[in-house]
Amino acid sequence: MNKPRHPLDKPLRAARSAATGSALGPGYSAANSNTRIHGPRPFTLPQSPAQAPAAPAANLGLNSDRLRLQMVHRLREQGIVDERVLSAMQAVPRHLFVDQGLASRAYEDAALPIGYGQTISQPWVVAHMLSVMCDGRSPVRVLEIGAGCGYQAAVLAQFVPEVHAIERVRGLYEQARLNLAQGRARGRVRLTFGDGMQGLEHRAPFDGIVVAAAGVKIPEALLHQLAVGARLIAPEGTAHQRLILIERTGPSSWHRLELEDVRFVPLRPGTQT
């Protein structure tokens, strides 16, 4: 008997060979994971301007508001227009979600390591994914796959009443729980330690789903946990990845659109203690 097809089964482009390995996996590093791949690609927004030097860590507490304002200004110049997302990123102190030794770099337009072979996503990636997922919509219940350090969930919580976030790495789950307690999450984030590829069926349907790691294909379980009319955004692929936007158009129908080239850490099944 033939295996049932994925609802949006579609061949990926031929994968490019991976570069040398790292703690994040073959071809991944903190400099190139959870980021956009720059270049003359379709749908790619303009490159960011040169960044101002980062403030010394000792002065960050005094300068963080100004640095966040600069980050938001840069996001506007890069084409982010959703005021809900921009206001949320202005409100959430990103430096509280990274290691103290990296706090002075928190407002750079770059992904940063958060331990356990994972990274906090580039600010443009966070803003773009949330903007696209929420475009023309006012989601009430959103699911995040790959909570990491909790930053993206905290941003979502600024304008979404109910945020569910799943993290599969026990150490990161504990880190996110502490970060969210001090990172102005408004008590709206419900954090779960578990397998994000399975989603949260008992909390579905969701008005939006955002996935912060790349699988060979988007898990079918997540597609079925979308409400009709809702959107899921996720990276997909191995050596060659693209952001994929999926909108559920009916009980058994989904519309798929390929967006920018990106580079994310791999989406893995199960949990890690």
Side-chain angles (χ1 to χ4, degrees):
M1 181 179 295
N2 292 332
K3 183 180 179 181
R5 287 178 61 114
H6 188 277
L8 286 164
D9 205 3
K10 181 176 180 179
L12 289 171
R13 296 181 183 182
R16 295 194 294 263
S17 60
T20 56
S22 76
L24 299 171
Y28 294 86
S29 71
N32 73 3
S33 58
N34 289 40
T35 62
R36 171 179 47 167
I37 301 298
H38 294 283
R41 308 286 186 182
F43 304 101
T44 298
L45 295 174
Q47 301 273 352
S48 62
Q51 298 176 23
N59 297 326
L60 188 57
L62 298 175
N63 294 333
S64 62
D65 288 347
R66 177 177 59 82
L67 292 172
R68 281 201 302 282
L69 188 62
Q70 291 176 355
M71 178 185 73
V72 169
H73 177 70
R74 184 173 64 241
L75 291 171
R76 288 184 190 277
E77 291 185 332
Q78 292 174 308
I80 304 299
V81 298
D82 191 312
E83 291 298 331
R84 297 169 299 177
V85 174
L86 292 169
S87 295
M89 295 188 72
Q90 173 64 39
V92 177
R94 192 172 186 252
H95 66 279
L96 297 182
F97 291 82
V98 299
D99 185 87
Q100 185 176 1
L102 294 171
S104 64
R105 299 187 56 199
Y107 300 104
E108 296 178 5
D109 193 25
L112 297 172
I114 55 174
Y116 304 93
Q118 304 296 312
T119 59
I120 182 174
S121 296
Q122 175 190 24
W124 183 88
V125 165
V126 173
H128 179 62
M129 291 179 73
L130 300 188
S131 295
V132 171
M133 181 187 68
C134 297
D135 185 36
R137 293 155 174 78
S138 297
V140 173
R141 180 185 299 138
V142 169
L143 175 64
E144 180 194 28
I145 307 301
C149 61
Y151 174 72
Q152 185 167 254
V155 172
L156 274 168
Q158 303 305 304
F159 62 96
V160 175
E162 185 179 331
V163 179
H164 293 268
I166 306 176
E167 177 51 54
R168 66 176 296 273
V169 179
R170 172 65 74 176
L172 282 178
Y173 165 79
E174 297 293 348
Q175 182 176 315
R177 186 170 59 84
L178 293 174
N179 289 342
L180 288 166
Q182 65 176 347
R184 302 180 187 174
R186 299 186 173 187
R188 294 177 174 178
V189 179
R190 303 179 186 183
L191 189 62
T192 298
F193 173 63
D195 183 353
M197 294 181 70
Q198 302 302 315
L200 287 176
E201 186 175 3
H202 65 290
R203 296 292 187 182
F206 295 99
D207 303 315
I209 299 177
V210 57
V211 184
V216 176
K217 63 173 59 176
I218 294 167
E220 184 173 344
L222 300 182
L223 300 180
H224 288 282
Q225 290 175 29
L226 272 179
V228 174
R231 289 178 167 182
L232 175 151
I233 188 162
E236 184 183 75
T238 53
H240 179 204
Q241 300 174 5
R242 296 196 73 130
L243 275 183
I244 306 297
L245 175 65
I246 292 176
E247 181 176 338
R248 189 168 192 177
T249 56
S252 302
S253 59
W254 295 260
H255 179 261
R256 171 189 172 105
L257 179 65
E258 294 191 6
L259 305 176
E260 292 80 8
D261 286 354
V262 290
R263 186 67 162 165
F264 274 71
V265 295
L267 180 66
R268 303 188 188 281
T271 58
Q272 177 182 324
T273 57

